[in-house]
Amino acid sequence: MIRKPKLDDWKIVGFYTGKIIVGIGLLMTIPLVTGIVFREWSAVIDFFIGILAALTVGFGFQLVCQTKREMNWMHGLVTTAFSWLVATFIGAMPHFLSGHFSTFLDAYFDLMSGFTTTGLYLIQDLDHVSNALNMWRHVVSYAGGQGIIVIALAFLIRGTSGAFMMYVGEGKDEKLLPNVIQTARAIWVVSLTYLFFGTIILTVVNYSEGLNPVRSFLHGLWIFMSAWSTGGFAPQSLNIFYYHSFTIEIVTMIIFIIGSLNFVLHWSVWNGKPREIYRNIEIVSFTITLSITLGLVLIALMQTEALSGVTSLFRKGFYLVASAHTGTGLTSLNGAQLVRSWGPLAMLAITIAMTIGGSAASTCGGIKGMRVGIIAKNFVGEIRRFVLPESAITFQRIHHIKNRIIEDKQVRAAMLIVIAFVTMHLGGAVLGVLYRYPFVQALFESVSAGTTTGLSVGITNPSMPLALKSYYILAMWAGRLEFMAVFALAGFLFAVARGK
């Protein structure tokens, strides 16, 4: 028998959702101050309204939903999935008020893309948006990379038994420190440290490339936020191609590759274990799959003669494959070039790279290198079992911070996520084909949304069908949370309807 959620269950979800919404309101003070500094009064009003709405809803939830019951695992997962939907709604208000969106759904699409670090966008006239709005776009992406739940755990939530499940529900299942609250704070220490040094480096590079000091700083800050969070947003519609700078391409590529690594790996290296960089299963997996997909792209480019010369192949080919594989979406060419000049083989190789993604417990999406490593090791182990005598006892090990034996439950969990991702990607591709897009392009765009990568072949635009917009929003949400919290919310709502 399925137990129907009681009023206290709703109150727990509402109370902690309220805390997260308050956090979104506090984040909006950053673009608000930006608007005041640059005297963008219309944007200042937009963000003042957004902050007022966030604080009203956030504190209202906490006031109405006060309860003495502790959060359990189910509450933690449901709160994560539900709060992402509500936070995106509140965060989209300044976007919509800016006048750069035809509908509120388009604004919601962009905020979901930002929070999930996807990088697909429907904003119109991007090259002429206010500094405040551009700041909000990139702050959302940066915060979403670390996780809005991580923000709440670090600064707004104190010692609850369900905190770990809120953390897990956001696609992270490893702790840097024994306590999940301390882990959330450690993640922000790592991210803010990189933000400080990365922004300085990019500011210097931008200034040397000819931008004035203020634009050098703003673009340096925004590009770092996007690259580190593997987000894909850029302050100009031409993305990285706007700068025409080989140096910026090199620096951003280093940043988003580092940003795609597991926060646990960062913490281990910071604490004197540099050997983890080349021993870790996720690094090994990433190196192998990046080499394979890059090889396929180079074969395709040699067949089509789309690029010539080592420098061109590196700046376009390697950069795009690395951006796709890390779930970043920064690019130095547009979707039309990809379709017209690179051909289906290159597009399929990039689609595979996006599907795999970067590391677990990082800022990027996709299946993740950890799961690929576990499945590959288990596959090899099954072959060995066929060859060895029946009496032989075999087991497979991986190295992730320490040597670990692969258990059957880990393999099953990895396969469940893989099946969920593949099903979601194919569903989006079929929907795209129903709207008469070619299959390879429809699959590319569906995978890009579901793996929170953000590369586009041109399907994502303000005039795209309403059903595709809605599907991509759900795909970004489910893909970023890696399904567990989404399944929990679906089960919770099913229990409301059918439980006893």
Side-chain angles (χ1 to χ4, degrees):
M1 181 182 72
I2 300 175
R3 186 182 72 84
K4 191 169 188 174
K6 297 179 180 179
L7 180 60
D8 273 350
D9 296 315
W10 286 99
K11 284 185 173 182
I12 292 170
V13 172
F15 182 79
Y16 287 102
T17 296
K19 284 183 174 288
I20 293 163
I21 301 306
V22 169
I24 300 303
L26 296 177
L27 274 181
M28 286 189 198
T29 58
I30 299 174
L32 177 72
V33 172
T34 304
I36 293 172
V37 169
F38 289 97
R39 299 183 179 183
E40 298 166 342
W41 305 120
S42 178
V44 169
I45 294 172
D46 295 342
F47 283 102
F48 180 78
I49 293 172
I51 292 171
L52 187 62
L55 297 182
T56 301
V57 172
F59 286 122
F61 270 33
Q62 292 179 63
L63 181 63
V64 172
C65 298
Q66 288 187 43
T67 177
K68 294 182 179 180
R69 279 189 60 188
E70 278 290 321
M71 177 187 287
N72 61 28
W73 284 37
M74 181 271 290
H75 296 137
L77 290 173
V78 172
T79 299
T80 297
F82 179 66
S83 63
W84 269 73
L85 296 176
V86 180
T88 303
F89 183 90
I90 299 296
M93 294 179 67
H95 260 47
F96 180 64
L97 293 172
S98 71
H100 286 276
F101 296 89
S102 300
T103 66
F104 187 80
L105 181 65
D106 288 4
Y108 191 91
F109 181 104
D110 268 42
L111 252 292
M112 182 62 80
S113 180
F115 274 135
T116 58
T117 72
T118 303
L120 295 173
Y121 65 88
L122 299 179
I123 193 170
Q124 299 179 34
D125 197 19
L126 173 59
D127 295 324
H128 299 97
V129 303
S130 65
N131 289 312
L133 186 59
N134 243 332
M135 182 65 78
W136 181 230
R137 295 175 69 239
H138 291 86
V139 165
V140 161
S141 182
Y142 180 71
Q146 303 5 282
I148 61 175
I149 301 300
V150 170
I151 296 175
L153 291 176
F155 305 110
L156 300 172
I157 294 176
R158 297 291 180 269
T160 171
S161 59
F164 182 65
M165 288 316 296
M166 294 175 68
Y167 177 77
V168 169
E170 206 167 48
K172 297 178 176 68
D173 57 0
E174 297 181 275
K175 292 186 288 186
L176 281 62
L177 297 167
N179 183 285
V180 71
I181 307 295
Q182 294 172 341
T183 293
R185 291 170 182 165
I187 286 174
W188 275 102
V189 168
V190 172
S191 295
L192 291 173
T193 302
Y194 280 114
L195 175 67
F196 178 78
F197 291 105
T199 300
I200 291 175
I201 293 170
L202 282 168
T203 298
V204 172
V205 172
N206 287 335
Y207 185 73
S208 69
E209 295 289 344
L211 294 183
N212 66 51
V214 174
R215 282 175 62 82
S216 294
F217 170 72
L218 288 176
H219 281 232
L221 175 65
W222 294 337
I223 295 168
F224 177 85
M225 285 180 170
S226 186
W228 169 256
S229 64
T230 63
F233 278 162
Q236 305 291 150
S237 59
L238 290 176
N239 208 275
I240 294 300
F241 187 65
Y242 170 81
Y243 304 97
H244 297 281
S245 170
F246 184 55
T247 305
I248 289 178
E249 290 166 15
I250 292 292
V251 173
T252 54
M253 183 165 59
I254 292 171
I255 292 170
F256 64 62
I257 289 176
I258 294 174
S260 73
L261 302 179
N262 196 311
F263 280 113
V264 177
L265 179 60
H266 281 285
W267 196 249
S268 296
V269 173
W270 278 34
N271 284 276
K273 298 180 180 178
R275 294 179 61 194
E276 290 299 326
I277 295 175
Y278 61 86
R279 294 182 66 198
N280 194 276
I281 181 65
E282 292 185 295
I283 302 294
V284 174
S285 172
F286 176 80
T287 302
I288 294 172
T289 52
L290 178 65
S291 300
I292 293 172
T293 50
L294 178 61
L296 291 173
V297 168
L298 292 178
I299 291 171
L301 293 176
M302 286 188 290
Q303 289 178 342
T304 60
E305 299 182 353
L307 299 175
S308 60
V310 175
T311 303
S312 180
L313 286 171
F314 180 83
R315 292 187 66 177
K316 302 292 184 181
F318 185 76
Y319 189 91
L320 188 62
V321 174
S323 179
H325 206 313
T326 56
T328 304
L330 291 176
T331 179
S332 55
L333 78 164
N334 61 46
Q337 289 177 287
L338 189 61
V339 174
R340 184 176 61 252
S341 304
W342 287 38
L345 177 59
M347 290 175 62
L348 286 172
I350 294 169
T351 301
I352 294 170
M354 291 191 295
T355 301
I356 296 170
S359 299
S362 69
T363 64
C364 63
I367 292 171
K368 306 290 180 65
M370 177 68 75
R371 295 189 183 99
V372 172
I374 288 173
I375 292 171
K377 281 278 190 176
N378 187 70
F379 180 78
V380 172
E382 290 300 316
I383 293 176
R384 288 182 63 193
R385 286 191 183 95
F386 286 124
V387 176
L388 295 174
E390 291 185 11
S391 58
I393 299 175
T394 63
F395 56 87
Q396 299 301 311
R397 290 187 299 180
I398 58 173
H399 184 86
H400 177 60
I401 311 305
K402 62 182 180 180
N403 289 326
R404 304 164 188 251
I405 296 175
I406 299 176
E407 300 176 358
D408 288 344
K409 64 179 181 180
Q410 292 175 301
V411 179
R412 290 196 300 270
M415 287 302 302
L416 174 64
I417 298 300
V418 169
I419 292 170
F421 267 113
V422 170
T423 302
M424 181 175 69
H425 297 333
L426 289 177
V430 170
L431 183 60
V433 171
L434 288 175
Y435 283 103
R436 301 188 178 181
Y437 293 106
F439 176 75
V440 173
Q441 295 178 36
L443 179 64
F444 185 101
E445 205 84 0
S446 176
V447 170
S448 182
T451 58
T452 69
T453 301
L455 294 173
S456 176
V457 290
I459 294 177
T460 300
N461 63 77
S463 62
M464 69 191 290
L466 178 64
L468 272 179
K469 288 181 184 178
S470 302
Y471 190 90
Y472 289 167
I473 288 172
L474 293 175
M476 289 186 285
W477 173 59
R480 174 62 178 85
L481 300 183
E482 297 187 358
F483 302 100
M484 185 181 295
V486 176
F487 292 157
L489 178 59
F492 185 81
L493 295 176
F494 180 80
V496 170
R498 302 295 298 272
K500 296 182 180 179

